[in-house]
Coordinates of all heavy atoms in Angstrom, one line a residue:
V406 N 25.1 2.1 7.1 CA 23.8 2.9 7.5 C 24.0 3.2 8.9 O 23.6 4.4 9.3 CB 22.6 1.9 7.3 CG1 21.4 2.5 7.8 CG2 22.5 1.4 5.9
M407 N 24.5 2.4 9.8 CA 24.7 2.8 11.2 C 25.8 3.9 11.3 O 25.6 4.7 12.2 CB 25.0 1.5 12.0 CG 23.8 0.6 12.2 SD 24.2 -0.9 13.2 CE 24.5 -0.1 14.8
A408 N 26.8 3.8 10.7 CA 27.8 4.8 10.7 C 27.2 6.1 10.4 O 27.5 7.3 10.9 CB 29.0 4.4 9.9
G409 N 26.4 6.2 9.2 CA 25.8 7.4 8.8 C 24.9 8.0 9.8 O 24.8 9.2 10.0
I410 N 24.1 7.1 10.4 CA 23.1 7.5 11.4 C 23.9 8.2 12.7 O 23.5 9.2 13.2 CB 22.2 6.4 11.9 CG1 21.2 6.0 10.8 CG2 21.5 6.7 13.3 CD1 20.5 4.7 11.0
A411 N 24.9 7.5 13.1 CA 25.7 8.0 14.2 C 26.3 9.4 13.9 O 26.2 10.3 14.7 CB 26.9 7.0 14.5
A412 N 26.8 9.5 12.6 CA 27.2 10.9 12.3 C 26.3 11.9 12.2 O 26.4 13.1 12.5 CB 28.1 10.7 10.9
Q413 N 25.0 11.5 11.7 CA 23.9 12.5 11.6 C 23.5 13.0 12.9 O 23.1 14.3 13.1 CB 22.7 11.8 10.9 CG 21.6 12.7 10.7 CD 20.3 11.9 10.0 OE1 20.5 10.6 9.6 NE2 19.1 12.4 10.1
Y414 N 23.5 12.2 13.9 CA 22.9 12.7 15.2 C 24.0 13.0 16.3 O 23.6 13.3 17.4 CB 21.9 11.7 15.8 CG 20.7 11.5 15.0 CD1 20.6 10.4 13.9 CD2 19.6 12.3 15.1 CE1 19.4 10.2 13.3 CE2 18.4 12.2 14.3 CZ 18.3 11.1 13.4 OH 17.1 11.0 12.6
S415 N 25.2 12.8 15.9 CA 26.4 13.0 16.9 C 27.2 14.2 16.4 O 27.4 14.4 15.2 CB 27.2 11.8 16.9 OG 26.5 10.7 17.3
D416 N 27.7 15.0 17.3 CA 28.7 16.0 17.0 C 30.2 15.3 16.8 O 30.9 15.8 15.9 CB 28.8 17.1 18.1 CG 27.5 17.7 18.4 OD1 27.2 18.6 17.6 OD2 26.8 17.3 19.3
I417 N 30.4 14.2 17.5 CA 31.6 13.5 17.3 C 31.3 12.0 17.3 O 30.6 11.6 18.3 CB 32.6 13.8 18.5 CG1 33.0 15.3 18.4 CG2 33.9 12.9 18.3 CD1 34.0 15.7 19.6
T418 N 31.7 11.3 16.3 CA 31.5 9.8 16.2 C 32.7 9.1 16.3 O 33.7 9.4 15.6 CB 30.7 9.5 14.9 OG1 29.5 10.2 14.9 CG2 30.5 8.0 14.8
I419 N 32.8 8.2 17.2 CA 34.0 7.3 17.4 C 33.6 5.8 16.9 O 32.9 5.2 17.6 CB 34.5 7.3 18.9 CG1 34.8 8.7 19.3 CG2 35.7 6.3 18.9 CD1 35.2 8.7 20.8
L420 N 34.1 5.5 15.8 CA 33.9 4.2 15.3 C 34.9 3.2 15.9 O 36.1 3.4 15.9 CB 34.1 4.1 13.7 CG 33.2 5.1 12.9 CD1 33.3 4.9 11.5 CD2 31.7 4.8 13.3
T421 N 34.4 2.1 16.4 CA 35.2 1.0 17.0 C 34.7 -0.4 16.7 O 33.8 -0.5 15.9 CB 35.3 1.4 18.6 OG1 36.2 0.6 19.1 CG2 34.0 1.1 19.2
S422 N 35.2 -1.2 17.5 CA 34.8 -2.7 17.5 C 33.7 -2.9 18.2 O 33.5 -2.3 19.3 CB 36.0 -3.6 17.8 OG 37.0 -3.4 17.0
D423 N 32.8 -3.9 17.9 CA 31.7 -4.4 18.8 C 32.2 -5.8 19.3 O 33.1 -5.9 19.9 CB 30.4 -4.4 18.0 CG 29.2 -4.7 18.8 OD1 29.1 -5.9 19.2 OD2 28.4 -3.8 19.0
N424 N 31.5 -6.9 18.7 CA 32.0 -8.2 18.7 C 32.5 -8.5 17.4 O 31.6 -9.0 16.5 CB 30.9 -9.2 19.2 CG 30.6 -8.9 20.7 OD1 31.4 -8.8 21.5 ND2 29.2 -9.0 21.0
P425 N 33.8 -8.5 17.0 CA 34.3 -8.8 15.7 C 34.0 -10.3 15.4 O 34.1 -10.6 14.2 CB 35.8 -8.5 15.8 CG 35.9 -7.5 16.9 CD 34.9 -8.0 17.9
R426 N 34.0 -11.1 16.4 CA 33.8 -12.6 16.3 C 34.9 -13.2 15.3 O 36.1 -12.9 15.8 CB 32.5 -13.0 15.7 CG 31.3 -12.5 16.6 CD 29.9 -13.0 16.1 NE 28.9 -12.5 17.1 CZ 28.3 -11.3 17.0 NH1 28.6 -10.5 16.1 NH2 27.4 -11.1 18.1
T427 N 34.8 -13.7 14.1 CA 35.8 -14.2 13.4 C 36.3 -13.3 12.3 O 37.3 -13.6 11.6 CB 35.5 -15.5 12.7 OG1 34.4 -15.3 11.8 CG2 35.0 -16.6 13.8
E428 N 35.7 -12.1 12.2 CA 36.1 -11.1 11.2 C 37.2 -10.2 11.5 O 37.5 -10.0 12.8 CB 34.9 -10.2 10.8 CG 33.9 -10.8 9.7 CD 33.0 -9.8 9.2 OE1 33.5 -9.0 8.2 OE2 31.9 -9.7 9.5

Side-chain angles (χ1 to χ4, degrees):
V406 178
M407 289 185 64
I410 288 171
Q413 178 183 351
Y414 292 98
S415 306
D416 297 284
I417 300 173
T418 300
I419 304 174
L420 300 184
T421 189
S422 300
D423 189 291
N424 289 315
R426 298 184 176 89
T427 64
E428 276 197 76

